[in-house]
Amino acid sequence: MDQKLVTKLVDEAILENESLFLIELSFLTGNKIKVIVDGDKGVSIKECIRISRHVEHNLDREEEDFGLEVTSPDISHPLTVR
């Protein structure tokens, strides 16, 4: 998995909505990518889908299969960004 490319794609997608910011980008075993984003006004499911599609449509599953999860933080996660 090209982590630099994935990071670039996530950053591009987040920059399209200036109220969003990245909380966590993790590369897990089994080519799983986990993206946690938050926003000044929260994060809608529509925004999670938009970010997911931006990343997914710019990676080639034929070259390397992967799992992608884009989510917002929930109450069980401690605060990590002021």
Side-chain angles (χ1 to χ4, degrees), residues 21-24 38 78-82:
F21 50 91
L22 181 64
I23 298 291
E24 183 181 333
D38 204 354
L79 295 176
T80 57
V81 178
R82 279 184 160 237

Side-chain angles (χ1 to χ4, degrees), residues 29-40:
T29 58
N31 277 346
K32 294 182 183 175
I33 305 164
K34 184 172 184 178
V35 181
I36 302 176
V37 294
D38 204 354
D40 296 330

Side-chain angles (χ1 to χ4, degrees), residues 12-56:
E12 287 174 358
I14 289 173
L15 286 174
E16 289 182 23
N17 182 339
E18 56 190 46
S19 72
L20 297 181
F21 50 91
L22 181 64
I23 298 291
E24 183 181 333
L25 173 57
S26 303
F27 297 92
L28 309 170
T29 58
N31 277 346
K32 294 182 183 175
I33 305 164
K34 184 172 184 178
V35 181
I36 302 176
V37 294
D38 204 354
D40 296 330
K41 301 172 187 168
V43 181
S44 67
I45 291 176
K46 188 176 181 177
E47 282 297 304
C48 289
I49 292 169
R50 183 186 62 75
I51 294 167
S52 176
R53 285 185 178 157
H54 181 77
V55 172
E56 193 168 349

Side-chain angles (χ1 to χ4, degrees), residues 54-69:
H54 181 77
V55 172
E56 193 168 349
H57 289 169
N58 288 288
L59 295 175
D60 186 1
R61 283 191 186 270
E62 297 289 326
E63 184 177 309
E64 188 170 23
D65 198 22
F66 61 91
L68 176 62
E69 177 184 0

